Amino acid sequence: MGYPRFDTPEEEVKRWLNHIALICLSEDFQHLKRELESLYVQSNMDNVRITAFQDALYAFLAQEEDNGQTYRFHSC
């Protein structure tokens, strides 16, 4: 017997989006993204802004996971 599910898939997606939005609006995230953009420009990388955004977001999510604070997404 599994755990009862209280959230619909749509509610879970909304919670994920809210969590990611809060990360992306934080000063720490913005600082890291700008720092990565600067490094990537110096390295002549393609798609600097997109790559910096993705890498910064991944770093924040990985850090939360390492700290045991990761958002738990319920499986279907």
Side-chain angles (χ1 to χ4, degrees):
M1 178 180 256
Y3 295 101
R5 294 196 40 168
F6 296 107
D7 294 334
T8 66
E10 294 84 13
E11 289 170 331
E12 291 177 20
V13 169
K14 287 178 186 178
R15 287 177 30 185
W16 255 112
L17 292 173
N18 184 54
H19 181 70
I20 291 171
L22 291 175
I23 290 172
C24 294
L25 293 173
S26 72
E27 287 185 38
D28 290 338
F29 175 85
Q30 293 297 323
H31 177 75
L32 176 59
K33 183 177 70 72
R34 285 190 300 270
E35 187 175 329
L36 290 173
E37 286 174 354
S38 177
L39 291 171
Y40 294 169
V41 165
Q42 294 173 12
S43 300
N44 294 319
M45 288 182 66
D46 293 331
N47 302 313
V48 168
R49 295 183 73 190
I50 292 171
T51 304
F53 178 87
Q54 291 171 336
D55 290 350
L57 182 56
Y58 180 80
F60 269 74
L61 292 173
Q63 180 181 4
E64 285 183 353
E65 186 174 320
D66 287 346
N67 293 336
Q69 299 172 347
T70 189
Y71 177 84
R72 301 286 183 216
F73 190 78
H74 301 287
S75 60
C76 295

